[in-house]
Amino acid sequence: MILIGENSRLMQRYELLERSAMRYSAGWAMVTSSWDIKVTLGRHMWQDAQRADRLRNRLKELRSGPLSNDNNSGLDKVVNYAASAENISEYIAGMYKVVKANLLEAYYHHYKTTNIALDDATLELLCNNISTLEEQCRWAEGLTEFDSRTIYDRVACEKWQNVVSSMLILQGGIDGRETQTAAAAAIIPSRESFKRPHKQHLDDITTQRGRDKAPIEEAGEPWREYVLRNYFNEIGAGDNVASIVFDAPQHVEWEFLYDMARHGWDEYRHAMMGKQRLIELGLDIKKLPIGTGVFEFRDKLPLVERLGMIVFLDEVNGFPYKRRSRELLKSMADEESSDYLAYDICDETRHVGNGHKWLEHLQKITGDKRDRDQLMKDLNELMDERANYIGTGQVN
Ligand SMILES: [Fe+2]
Ligand SMILES: [Fe+2]
């Protein structure tokens, strides 16, 4: 068995790792120009959040006291270091093949050592955590292609893995009890800390600041293509919400990050939906440019405006158009595309709910004293600026 204090101590360490890894899943999703890696990291961001959340809930049950941002484990240094990789292949080598792989081993060990009669809820959470962490580690092991901005150097990646591994041992390993002697002599080169990007790059996809014009008439094939292209474009919304997860101040409520991680992954999924359906309908996505202007404009805004613009303008204003388009697609006998919209409307309803749930908290912790009327007035003015920035006279 594991004594209750030791159980909590270990789970606090895991929780810190999962929560910090979530933030870098968001940051590195923004960095990579590979569509597939970007959306996968978006999914991992949400899986990381769920694993951290399960640990936090169990820690509460075990009366482990409040979870601080830094429990002095030193593990945040390891995660920050692994995230300071030079490119996506290095990041995956250090974060997945060292940090996450070691965490997975610790989960296996913990599962074998604790006792069902005393601690079944921990076994249950470990089982769930193992399942998604195993999937992430397998994905990383199988990756051989990265993005067009990365020259994959296997030897350099292995070297980086060794350095990250030494860094982890220096902090006592995942459980904090690993002996440090072997790593004490390791040279840990200093690296600049990770900075998230502010521009979107996408391999094999044409980008432009503004979007192609919407068809004049809401009807037929051109409108269906327009609707699906709007989804395809949500890759920018994914990056915008990931940036909120990454930029949120340390003292934000955990549940805010948890909801934002889900929100961000939903947006990446919507982009996947669009891409998938466009391909199914025989369209060449390389000839369908994505507009990056909306992403860029929202990216420059402070957190309150960034989230406020998404939830209270873009998402709220989208519902009538989505309902009309749903009916139109049904009348074209395209039940499938129509149902894509039905799924999306469910997601977007939850997203608008995030605005009502969190905007006030976000304002409070960032010192923003505007009431809702003033905020909405300011957001609407920003919408006009956005139309000018994009240069098409339209807001997206
Ligand atoms: Fe969306
Ligand atoms: Fe949304």
Side-chain angles (χ1 to χ4, degrees):
M1 70 170 282
I2 303 180
L3 295 175
I4 195 163
E6 175 66 356
N7 208 358
S8 297
R9 189 190 70 82
L10 288 170
M11 283 198 278
Q12 280 177 350
R13 293 177 72 88
Y14 308 156
E15 191 274 339
L16 179 91
L17 283 172
E18 297 285 17
R19 182 161 37 91
S20 319
M22 172 198 72
R23 185 166 174 262
Y24 288 117
S25 292
W28 275 91
M30 297 188 74
V31 173
T32 185
S33 54
S34 154
W35 176 285
D36 288 343
I37 297 178
K38 184 188 279 293
V39 296
T40 304
L41 291 185
R43 179 154 184 259
H44 292 179
M45 161 177 74
W46 169 231
Q47 292 177 337
D48 300 346
Q50 289 177 90
R51 291 197 301 270
D53 195 60
R54 287 187 201 110
L55 289 158
R56 295 174 75 90
N57 288 334
R58 182 62 183 144
L59 282 162
K60 262 186 238 158
E61 290 179 0
L62 291 177
R63 303 155 66 94
S64 311
L67 285 164
S68 57
N69 279 316
D70 176 6
N71 60 10
N72 296 319
S73 64
L75 289 173
D76 52 341
K77 278 190 212 136
V78 181
V79 181
N80 290 339
Y81 191 75
S84 70
E86 264 169 12
N87 56 51
I88 188 71
S89 62
E90 232 188 47
Y91 172 71
I92 287 168
M95 188 63 91
Y96 286 75
K97 296 182 183 177
V98 179
V99 179
K100 292 194 178 200
N102 276 278
L103 180 58
L104 183 60
E105 283 304 317
Y107 281 161
Y108 290 142
H109 181 72
H110 202 130
Y111 187 88
K112 279 190 233 139
T113 356
T114 194
N115 180 320
I116 196 166
L118 309 170
D119 196 24
D120 188 38
T122 301
L123 286 173
E124 170 90 13
L125 94 80
L126 287 169
C127 222
N128 286 318
N129 280 17
I130 283 169
S131 121
T132 57
L133 193 58
E134 256 178 1
E135 182 196 311
Q136 293 187 7
C137 291
R138 254 198 324 271
W139 169 79
E141 286 297 336
L143 260 188
T144 49
E145 274 178 41
F146 296 89
D147 59 35
S148 70
R149 305 187 324 143
T150 297
I151 300 160
Y152 175 45
D153 180 340
R154 193 176 56 82
V155 176
C157 283
E158 282 169 4
K159 222 167 136 190
W160 177 245
Q161 259 174 257
N162 287 335
V163 179
V164 176
S165 187
S166 300
M167 189 73 179
L168 179 60
I169 297 167
L170 279 175
Q171 304 303 329
I174 302 289
D175 67 2
R177 303 217 188 278
E178 209 162 318
T179 145
Q180 299 178 4
T181 40
I187 298 163
I188 313 273
S190 72
R191 282 283 177 104
E192 278 207 19
S193 58
F194 172 81
K195 288 195 184 51
R196 78 163 180 88
H198 295 275
K199 282 253 175 279
Q200 258 197 324
H201 298 274
L202 293 165
D203 294 344
D204 303 323
I205 292 169
T206 319
T207 55
Q208 58 192 27
R209 186 184 278 186
R211 300 274 310 279
D212 288 354
K213 273 213 169 74
I216 298 161
E217 215 192 333
E218 282 191 22
E221 208 54 58
W223 192 260
R224 169 161 69 179
E225 185 183 316
Y226 171 71
V227 170
L228 297 173
R229 285 184 66 185
N230 281 345
Y231 283 120
F232 186 37
N233 263 266
E234 288 197 31
I235 200 74
D239 278 353
N240 277 140
V241 183
S243 80
I244 294 173
V245 172
F246 188 83
D247 293 347
Q250 281 233 326
H251 54 294
V252 78
E253 291 275 351
W254 159 251
E255 283 77 12
F256 169 80
L257 294 172
Y258 180 79
D259 286 345
M260 287 302 116
R262 170 75 191 270
H263 192 152
W265 165 227
D266 287 344
E267 304 304 356
Y268 286 126
R269 277 196 303 104
H270 297 164
M272 289 169 80
M273 267 168 40
K275 185 179 169 191
Q276 193 173 298
R277 195 72 188 129
L278 286 166
I279 293 170
E280 279 168 8
L281 292 172
L283 286 135
D284 181 357
I285 54 154
K286 288 188 183 164
K287 292 194 183 127
L288 303 175
I290 274 184
T292 56
V294 173
F295 161 79
E296 285 160 20
F297 189 85
R298 292 194 297 217
D299 183 70
K300 291 188 186 85
L301 300 175
L303 279 173
V304 167
E305 276 98 341
R306 205 181 310 157
L307 182 61
M309 180 176 273
I310 294 171
V311 293
F312 290 146
L313 293 177
D314 288 315
E315 289 176 336
V316 168
N317 294 342
F319 287 117
Y321 137 84
K322 284 177 183 174
R323 292 203 182 95
R324 285 197 311 275
S325 300
R326 198 169 171 233
E327 290 314 309
L328 178 82
L329 289 162
K330 255 194 202 156
S331 73
M332 289 171 73
D334 185 354
E335 197 71 37
E336 206 169 324
S337 299
S338 165
D339 253 28
Y340 274 44
L341 272 93
Y343 278 106
D344 170 65
I345 288 169
C346 297
D347 294 333
E348 295 304 334
T349 304
R350 194 162 24 79
H351 297 173
V352 174
N354 281 340
H356 293 291
K357 188 173 168 190
W358 292 117
L359 239 296
E360 227 177 273
H361 170 64
L362 203 53
Q363 283 186 275
K364 199 170 152 204
I365 64 163
T366 54
D368 182 335
K369 295 196 167 44
R370 283 173 291 182
D371 61 19
R372 188 57 58 84
D373 285 348
Q374 186 60 49
L375 177 62
M376 291 308 294
K377 200 170 157 265
D378 295 346
L379 287 175
N380 277 300
E381 277 172 20
L382 282 169
M383 235 21 190
D384 295 336
E385 274 181 44
R386 184 169 116 183
N388 286 335
Y389 175 77
I390 292 170
T392 57
Q394 301 172 20
V395 288
N396 58 26

